[in-house]
PDB file of all heavy atoms in Angstrom:
ATOM      1  N   PHE M  12      99.332  89.351 103.060  1.00 46.00           N
ATOM      2  CA  PHE M  12      99.723  89.473 101.658  1.00 46.00           C
ATOM      3  C   PHE M  12      98.973  88.474 100.782  1.00 46.00           C
ATOM      4  O   PHE M  12      98.516  88.818  99.696  1.00 46.00           O
ATOM      5  CB  PHE M  12     101.229  89.246 101.547  1.00 46.00           C
ATOM      6  CG  PHE M  12     101.760  89.400 100.138  1.00 46.00           C
ATOM      7  CD1 PHE M  12     101.691  90.619  99.492  1.00 46.00           C
ATOM      8  CD2 PHE M  12     102.314  88.317  99.474  1.00 46.00           C
ATOM      9  CE1 PHE M  12     102.170  90.757  98.198  1.00 46.00           C
ATOM     10  CE2 PHE M  12     102.793  88.451  98.186  1.00 46.00           C
ATOM     11  CZ  PHE M  12     102.725  89.677  97.546  1.00 46.00           C
ATOM     12  N   SER M  13      98.836  87.228 101.264  1.00 49.00           N
ATOM     13  CA  SER M  13      98.145  86.219 100.464  1.00 49.00           C
ATOM     14  C   SER M  13      96.669  86.560 100.294  1.00 49.00           C
ATOM     15  O   SER M  13      96.077  86.299  99.241  1.00 49.00           O
ATOM     16  CB  SER M  13      98.280  84.837 101.110  1.00 49.00           C
ATOM     17  OG  SER M  13      97.738  84.853 102.405  1.00 49.00           O
ATOM     18  N   ASN M  14      96.062  87.167 101.317  1.00 52.00           N
ATOM     19  CA  ASN M  14      94.653  87.543 101.193  1.00 52.00           C
ATOM     20  C   ASN M  14      94.486  88.679 100.189  1.00 52.00           C
ATOM     21  O   ASN M  14      93.522  88.704  99.412  1.00 52.00           O
ATOM     22  CB  ASN M  14      94.107  87.963 102.552  1.00 52.00           C
ATOM     23  CG  ASN M  14      92.604  88.152 102.526  1.00 52.00           C
ATOM     24  OD1 ASN M  14      91.869  87.241 102.159  1.00 52.00           O
ATOM     25  ND2 ASN M  14      92.140  89.333 102.898  1.00 52.00           N
ATOM     26  N   ILE M  15      95.431  89.606 100.202  1.00 48.00           N
ATOM     27  CA  ILE M  15      95.385  90.694  99.222  1.00 48.00           C
ATOM     28  C   ILE M  15      95.501  90.128  97.804  1.00 48.00           C
ATOM     29  O   ILE M  15      94.801  90.551  96.887  1.00 48.00           O
ATOM     30  CB  ILE M  15      96.499  91.712  99.501  1.00 48.00           C
ATOM     31  CG1 ILE M  15      96.230  92.430 100.828  1.00 48.00           C
ATOM     32  CG2 ILE M  15      96.620  92.723  98.367  1.00 48.00           C
ATOM     33  CD1 ILE M  15      97.374  93.316 101.287  1.00 48.00           C
ATOM     34  N   LYS M  16      96.401  89.146  97.625  1.00 52.00           N
ATOM     35  CA  LYS M  16      96.554  88.527  96.302  1.00 52.00           C
ATOM     36  C   LYS M  16      95.271  87.813  95.882  1.00 52.00           C
ATOM     37  O   LYS M  16      94.891  87.868  94.712  1.00 52.00           O
ATOM     38  CB  LYS M  16      97.724  87.535  96.326  1.00 52.00           C
ATOM     39  CG  LYS M  16      99.092  88.192  96.400  1.00 52.00           C
ATOM     40  CD  LYS M  16     100.195  87.232  96.007  1.00 52.00           C
ATOM     41  CE  LYS M  16     100.274  86.086  96.975  1.00 52.00           C
ATOM     42  NZ  LYS M  16     101.404  85.175  96.644  1.00 52.00           N
ATOM     43  N   ARG M  17      94.610  87.145  96.844  1.00 54.00           N
ATOM     44  CA  ARG M  17      93.348  86.474  96.510  1.00 54.00           C
ATOM     45  C   ARG M  17      92.300  87.477  96.057  1.00 54.00           C
ATOM     46  O   ARG M  17      91.558  87.234  95.099  1.00 54.00           O
ATOM     47  CB  ARG M  17      92.837  85.697  97.732  1.00 54.00           C
ATOM     48  CG  ARG M  17      93.571  84.390  97.999  1.00 54.00           C
ATOM     49  CD  ARG M  17      92.787  83.508  98.944  1.00 54.00           C
ATOM     50  NE  ARG M  17      92.618  84.129 100.243  1.00 54.00           N
ATOM     51  CZ  ARG M  17      93.455  83.978 101.256  1.00 54.00           C
ATOM     52  NH1 ARG M  17      94.551  83.238 101.102  1.00 54.00           N
ATOM     53  NH2 ARG M  17      93.228  84.563 102.414  1.00 54.00           N
ATOM     54  N   LYS M  18      92.236  88.619  96.755  1.00 53.00           N
ATOM     55  CA  LYS M  18      91.266  89.645  96.373  1.00 53.00           C
ATOM     56  C   LYS M  18      91.572  90.207  94.985  1.00 53.00           C
ATOM     57  O   LYS M  18      90.661  90.457  94.183  1.00 53.00           O
ATOM     58  CB  LYS M  18      91.263  90.772  97.418  1.00 53.00           C
ATOM     59  CG  LYS M  18      90.663  90.358  98.757  1.00 53.00           C
ATOM     60  CD  LYS M  18      90.703  91.513  99.748  1.00 53.00           C
ATOM     61  CE  LYS M  18      90.089  91.102 101.076  1.00 53.00           C
ATOM     62  NZ  LYS M  18      90.132  92.200 102.069  1.00 53.00           N
ATOM     63  N   ILE M  19      92.865  90.405  94.696  1.00 51.00           N
ATOM     64  CA  ILE M  19      93.250  90.921  93.378  1.00 51.00           C
ATOM     65  C   ILE M  19      92.876  89.930  92.286  1.00 51.00           C
ATOM     66  O   ILE M  19      92.335  90.302  91.232  1.00 51.00           O
ATOM     67  CB  ILE M  19      94.761  91.240  93.352  1.00 51.00           C
ATOM     68  CG1 ILE M  19      95.072  92.419  94.282  1.00 51.00           C
ATOM     69  CG2 ILE M  19      95.226  91.534  91.930  1.00 51.00           C
ATOM     70  CD1 ILE M  19      96.551  92.677  94.458  1.00 51.00           C
ATOM     71  N   ARG M  20      93.182  88.633  92.522  1.00 61.00           N
ATOM     72  CA  ARG M  20      92.837  87.604  91.529  1.00 61.00           C
ATOM     73  C   ARG M  20      91.323  87.531  91.318  1.00 61.00           C
ATOM     74  O   ARG M  20      90.845  87.393  90.186  1.00 61.00           O
ATOM     75  CB  ARG M  20      93.372  86.238  91.977  1.00 61.00           C
ATOM     76  CG  ARG M  20      94.872  86.078  91.804  1.00 61.00           C
ATOM     77  CD  ARG M  20      95.283  84.615  91.852  1.00 61.00           C
ATOM     78  NE  ARG M  20      94.980  84.028  93.149  1.00 61.00           N
ATOM     79  CZ  ARG M  20      95.834  83.955  94.150  1.00 61.00           C
ATOM     80  NH1 ARG M  20      97.066  84.441  94.003  1.00 61.00           N
ATOM     81  NH2 ARG M  20      95.508  83.389  95.296  1.00 61.00           N
ATOM     82  N   PHE M  21      90.576  87.649  92.419  1.00 59.00           N
ATOM     83  CA  PHE M  21      89.119  87.598  92.306  1.00 59.00           C
ATOM     84  C   PHE M  21      88.602  88.779  91.495  1.00 59.00           C
ATOM     85  O   PHE M  21      87.727  88.629  90.619  1.00 59.00           O
ATOM     86  CB  PHE M  21      88.486  87.601  93.700  1.00 59.00           C
ATOM     87  CG  PHE M  21      86.977  87.573  93.690  1.00 59.00           C
ATOM     88  CD1 PHE M  21      86.298  86.405  93.365  1.00 59.00           C
ATOM     89  CD2 PHE M  21      86.251  88.711  93.994  1.00 59.00           C
ATOM     90  CE1 PHE M  21      84.908  86.378  93.348  1.00 59.00           C
ATOM     91  CE2 PHE M  21      84.876  88.705  93.982  1.00 59.00           C
ATOM     92  CZ  PHE M  21      84.192  87.526  93.658  1.00 59.00           C
ATOM     93  N   ARG M  22      89.140  89.975  91.745  1.00 63.00           N
ATOM     94  CA  ARG M  22      88.712  91.157  90.986  1.00 63.00           C
ATOM     95  C   ARG M  22      89.040  90.996  89.503  1.00 63.00           C
ATOM     96  O   ARG M  22      88.243  91.384  88.637  1.00 63.00           O
ATOM     97  CB  ARG M  22      89.413  92.407  91.531  1.00 63.00           C
ATOM     98  CG  ARG M  22      88.872  92.905  92.859  1.00 63.00           C
ATOM     99  CD  ARG M  22      89.231  94.356  93.088  1.00 63.00           C
ATOM    100  NE  ARG M  22      89.062  94.721  94.481  1.00 63.00           N
ATOM    101  CZ  ARG M  22      90.040  94.811  95.362  1.00 63.00           C
ATOM    102  NH1 ARG M  22      91.276  94.541  94.978  1.00 63.00           N
ATOM    103  NH2 ARG M  22      89.811  95.160  96.609  1.00 63.00           N
ATOM    104  N   ARG M  23      90.212  90.441  89.216  1.00 67.00           N
ATOM    105  CA  ARG M  23      90.596  90.237  87.820  1.00 67.00           C
ATOM    106  C   ARG M  23      89.644  89.276  87.115  1.00 67.00           C
ATOM    107  O   ARG M  23      89.267  89.484  85.951  1.00 67.00           O
ATOM    108  CB  ARG M  23      92.024  89.710  87.738  1.00 67.00           C
ATOM    109  CG  ARG M  23      93.072  90.784  88.047  1.00 67.00           C
ATOM    110  CD  ARG M  23      94.468  90.192  88.067  1.00 67.00           C
ATOM    111  NE  ARG M  23      95.480  91.208  88.335  1.00 67.00           N
ATOM    112  CZ  ARG M  23      96.755  90.944  88.554  1.00 67.00           C
ATOM    113  NH1 ARG M  23      97.185  89.670  88.556  1.00 67.00           N
ATOM    114  NH2 ARG M  23      97.617  91.919  88.780  1.00 67.00           N
ATOM    115  N   LYS M  24      89.261  88.209  87.832  1.00 69.00           N
ATOM    116  CA  LYS M  24      88.317  87.261  87.241  1.00 69.00           C
ATOM    117  C   LYS M  24      86.972  87.928  86.969  1.00 69.00           C
ATOM    118  O   LYS M  24      86.357  87.715  85.918  1.00 69.00           O
ATOM    119  CB  LYS M  24      88.131  86.061  88.174  1.00 69.00           C
ATOM    120  CG  LYS M  24      89.332  85.135  88.232  1.00 69.00           C
ATOM    121  CD  LYS M  24      89.089  83.977  89.174  1.00 69.00           C
ATOM    122  CE  LYS M  24      90.316  83.053  89.230  1.00 69.00           C
ATOM    123  NZ  LYS M  24      90.097  81.929  90.174  1.00 69.00           N
ATOM    124  N   VAL M  25      86.512  88.736  87.928  1.00 67.00           N
ATOM    125  CA  VAL M  25      85.242  89.457  87.738  1.00 67.00           C
ATOM    126  C   VAL M  25      85.346  90.415  86.567  1.00 67.00           C
ATOM    127  O   VAL M  25      84.443  90.498  85.720  1.00 67.00           O
ATOM    128  CB  VAL M  25      84.857  90.211  89.031  1.00 67.00           C
ATOM    129  CG1 VAL M  25      83.656  91.125  88.772  1.00 67.00           C
ATOM    130  CG2 VAL M  25      84.534  89.230  90.150  1.00 67.00           C
ATOM    131  N   ASP M  26      86.468  91.130  86.468  1.00 69.00           N
ATOM    132  CA  ASP M  26      86.663  92.068  85.361  1.00 69.00           C
ATOM    133  C   ASP M  26      86.716  91.332  84.028  1.00 69.00           C
ATOM    134  O   ASP M  26      86.163  91.825  83.019  1.00 69.00           O
ATOM    135  CB  ASP M  26      87.957  92.865  85.567  1.00 69.00           C
ATOM    136  CG  ASP M  26      87.855  93.833  86.735  1.00 69.00           C
ATOM    137  OD1 ASP M  26      86.711  94.165  87.120  1.00 69.00           O
ATOM    138  OD2 ASP M  26      88.920  94.243  87.257  1.00 69.00           O
ATOM    139  N   ASN M  27      87.350  90.154  84.002  1.00 73.00           N
ATOM    140  CA  ASN M  27      87.410  89.362  82.758  1.00 73.00           C
ATOM    141  C   ASN M  27      86.029  88.906  82.323  1.00 73.00           C
ATOM    142  O   ASN M  27      85.688  88.929  81.141  1.00 73.00           O
ATOM    143  CB  ASN M  27      88.325  88.151  82.946  1.00 73.00           C
ATOM    144  CG  ASN M  27      89.797  88.544  83.031  1.00 73.00           C
ATOM    145  OD1 ASN M  27      90.180  89.600  82.548  1.00 73.00           O
ATOM    146  ND2 ASN M  27      90.602  87.703  83.660  1.00 73.00           N
ATOM    147  N   VAL M  28      85.234  88.472  83.323  1.00 72.00           N
ATOM    148  CA  VAL M  28      83.867  88.033  83.000  1.00 72.00           C
ATOM    149  C   VAL M  28      83.052  89.200  82.460  1.00 72.00           C
ATOM    150  O   VAL M  28      82.314  89.064  81.470  1.00 72.00           O
ATOM    151  CB  VAL M  28      83.190  87.423  84.247  1.00 72.00           C
ATOM    152  CG1 VAL M  28      81.706  87.194  83.989  1.00 72.00           C
ATOM    153  CG2 VAL M  28      83.862  86.116  84.638  1.00 72.00           C
ATOM    154  N   LYS M  29      83.188  90.366  83.083  1.00 69.00           N
ATOM    155  CA  LYS M  29      82.468  91.548  82.616  1.00 69.00           C
ATOM    156  C   LYS M  29      82.905  91.931  81.201  1.00 69.00           C
ATOM    157  O   LYS M  29      82.080  92.278  80.346  1.00 69.00           O
ATOM    158  CB  LYS M  29      82.703  92.731  83.566  1.00 69.00           C
ATOM    159  CG  LYS M  29      81.998  92.593  84.901  1.00 69.00           C
ATOM    160  CD  LYS M  29      82.288  93.815  85.776  1.00 69.00           C
ATOM    161  CE  LYS M  29      81.573  93.721  87.102  1.00 69.00           C
ATOM    162  NZ  LYS M  29      81.870  94.898  87.974  1.00 69.00           N
ATOM    163  N   GLU M  30      84.220  91.851  80.947  1.00 73.00           N
ATOM    164  CA  GLU M  30      84.750  92.207  79.630  1.00 73.00           C
ATOM    165  C   GLU M  30      84.232  91.256  78.560  1.00 73.00           C
ATOM    166  O   GLU M  30      83.845  91.679  77.458  1.00 73.00           O
ATOM    167  CB  GLU M  30      86.282  92.187  79.682  1.00 73.00           C
ATOM    168  CG  GLU M  30      86.948  92.768  78.442  1.00 73.00           C
ATOM    169  CD  GLU M  30      86.671  94.243  78.277  1.00 73.00           C
ATOM    170  OE1 GLU M  30      86.492  94.941  79.296  1.00 73.00           O
ATOM    171  OE2 GLU M  30      86.622  94.703  77.120  1.00 73.00           O
ATOM    172  N   LYS M  31      84.233  89.964  78.890  1.00 70.00           N
ATOM    173  CA  LYS M  31      83.706  88.980  77.927  1.00 70.00           C
ATOM    174  C   LYS M  31      82.235  89.214  77.668  1.00 70.00           C
ATOM    175  O   LYS M  31      81.748  89.095  76.533  1.00 70.00           O
ATOM    176  CB  LYS M  31      83.934  87.564  78.464  1.00 70.00           C
ATOM    177  CG  LYS M  31      85.385  87.118  78.447  1.00 70.00           C
ATOM    178  CD  LYS M  31      85.527  85.713  79.022  1.00 70.00           C
ATOM    179  CE  LYS M  31      87.000  85.289  79.023  1.00 70.00           C
ATOM    180  NZ  LYS M  31      87.170  83.932  79.629  1.00 70.00           N
ATOM    181  N   GLY M  32      81.493  89.567  78.731  1.00 66.00           N
ATOM    182  CA  GLY M  32      80.067  89.850  78.561  1.00 66.00           C
ATOM    183  C   GLY M  32      79.838  91.042  77.660  1.00 66.00           C
ATOM    184  O   GLY M  32      78.951  91.015  76.783  1.00 66.00           O
ATOM    185  N   LYS M  33      80.651  92.089  77.825  1.00 68.00           N
ATOM    186  CA  LYS M  33      80.523  93.271  76.974  1.00 68.00           C
ATOM    187  C   LYS M  33      80.856  92.934  75.521  1.00 68.00           C
ATOM    188  O   LYS M  33      80.193  93.409  74.590  1.00 68.00           O
ATOM    189  CB  LYS M  33      81.450  94.384  77.474  1.00 68.00           C
ATOM    190  CG  LYS M  33      81.003  95.025  78.779  1.00 68.00           C
ATOM    191  CD  LYS M  33      81.989  96.105  79.203  1.00 68.00           C
ATOM    192  CE  LYS M  33      81.571  96.737  80.518  1.00 68.00           C
ATOM    193  NZ  LYS M  33      82.544  97.764  80.966  1.00 68.00           N
ATOM    194  N   ASN M  34      81.898  92.093  75.331  1.00 68.00           N
ATOM    195  CA  ASN M  34      82.297  91.717  73.978  1.00 68.00           C
ATOM    196  C   ASN M  34      81.193  90.931  73.276  1.00 68.00           C
ATOM    197  O   ASN M  34      80.945  91.098  72.082  1.00 68.00           O
ATOM    198  CB  ASN M  34      83.587  90.883  74.006  1.00 68.00           C
ATOM    199  CG  ASN M  34      84.787  91.724  74.436  1.00 68.00           C
ATOM    200  OD1 ASN M  34      84.769  92.955  74.298  1.00 68.00           O
ATOM    201  ND2 ASN M  34      85.822  91.064  74.952  1.00 68.00           N
ATOM    202  N   ILE M  35      80.551  90.044  74.041  1.00 67.00           N
ATOM    203  CA  ILE M  35      79.458  89.254  73.460  1.00 67.00           C
ATOM    204  C   ILE M  35      78.299  90.152  73.069  1.00 67.00           C
ATOM    205  O   ILE M  35      77.703  90.016  71.993  1.00 67.00           O
ATOM    206  CB  ILE M  35      78.998  88.165  74.448  1.00 67.00           C
ATOM    207  CG1 ILE M  35      80.108  87.129  74.640  1.00 67.00           C
ATOM    208  CG2 ILE M  35      77.721  87.501  73.968  1.00 67.00           C
ATOM    209  CD1 ILE M  35      79.819  86.118  75.735  1.00 67.00           C
ATOM    210  N   ILE M  36      77.986  91.101  73.957  1.00 65.00           N
ATOM    211  CA  ILE M  36      76.861  92.009  73.675  1.00 65.00           C
ATOM    212  C   ILE M  36      77.160  92.911  72.492  1.00 65.00           C
ATOM    213  O   ILE M  36      76.302  93.156  71.623  1.00 65.00           O
ATOM    214  CB  ILE M  36      76.545  92.856  74.921  1.00 65.00           C
ATOM    215  CG1 ILE M  36      76.004  91.964  76.060  1.00 65.00           C
ATOM    216  CG2 ILE M  36      75.530  93.945  74.592  1.00 65.00           C
ATOM    217  CD1 ILE M  36      75.851  92.667  77.384  1.00 65.00           C
ATOM    218  N   ASN M  37      78.412  93.402  72.414  1.00 65.00           N
ATOM    219  CA  ASN M  37      78.768  94.357  71.357  1.00 65.00           C
ATOM    220  C   ASN M  37      79.199  93.693  70.070  1.00 65.00           C
ATOM    221  O   ASN M  37      79.388  94.381  69.044  1.00 65.00           O
ATOM    222  CB  ASN M  37      79.908  95.250  71.856  1.00 65.00           C
ATOM    223  CG  ASN M  37      79.475  96.108  73.039  1.00 65.00           C
ATOM    224  OD1 ASN M  37      78.300  96.477  73.144  1.00 65.00           O
ATOM    225  ND2 ASN M  37      80.403  96.411  73.932  1.00 65.00           N
ATOM    226  N   SER M  38      79.418  92.369  70.071  1.00 61.00           N
ATOM    227  CA  SER M  38      79.867  91.695  68.842  1.00 61.00           C
ATOM    228  C   SER M  38      78.738  91.700  67.825  1.00 61.00           C
ATOM    229  O   SER M  38      77.559  91.553  68.165  1.00 61.00           O
ATOM    230  CB  SER M  38      80.296  90.267  69.158  1.00 61.00           C
ATOM    231  OG  SER M  38      79.205  89.535  69.668  1.00 61.00           O
ATOM    232  N   PRO M  39      79.066  91.841  66.490  1.00 56.00           N
ATOM    233  CA  PRO M  39      78.026  91.834  65.439  1.00 56.00           C
ATOM    234  C   PRO M  39      77.340  90.475  65.360  1.00 56.00           C
ATOM    235  O   PRO M  39      77.972  89.428  65.433  1.00 56.00           O
ATOM    236  CB  PRO M  39      78.826  92.130  64.170  1.00 56.00           C
ATOM    237  CG  PRO M  39      80.226  91.743  64.500  1.00 56.00           C
ATOM    238  CD  PRO M  39      80.422  91.992  65.949  1.00 56.00           C
ATOM    239  N   LYS M  40      76.035  90.493  65.264  1.00 50.00           N
ATOM    240  CA  LYS M  40      75.257  89.250  65.192  1.00 50.00           C
ATOM    241  C   LYS M  40      75.189  88.749  63.739  1.00 50.00           C
ATOM    242  O   LYS M  40      75.183  89.515  62.787  1.00 50.00           O
ATOM    243  CB  LYS M  40      73.846  89.489  65.694  1.00 50.00           C
ATOM    244  CG  LYS M  40      73.801  89.885  67.156  1.00 50.00           C
ATOM    245  CD  LYS M  40      72.366  90.093  67.598  1.00 50.00           C
ATOM    246  CE  LYS M  40      72.309  90.470  69.078  1.00 50.00           C
ATOM    247  NZ  LYS M  40      70.922  90.705  69.534  1.00 50.00           N
ATOM    248  N   ASP M  41      75.195  87.418  63.603  1.00 48.00           N
ATOM    249  CA  ASP M  41      75.078  86.822  62.260  1.00 48.00           C
ATOM    250  C   ASP M  41      73.672  87.040  61.710  1.00 48.00           C
ATOM    251  O   ASP M  41      72.664  86.958  62.401  1.00 48.00           O
ATOM    252  CB  ASP M  41      75.335  85.312  62.340  1.00 48.00           C
ATOM    253  CG  ASP M  41      76.762  85.036  62.783  1.00 48.00           C
ATOM    254  OD1 ASP M  41      77.621  85.903  62.528  1.00 48.00           O
ATOM    255  OD2 ASP M  41      76.997  83.960  63.380  1.00 48.00           O
TER     256      ASP M  41
END
């Protein structure tokens, strides 16, 4: 169970990083 939780947390972190990267790319430039 703890290993499954670690994998879920790791996936969430990867998804957050990807989401932030997309937001930076799609954000309007000054």
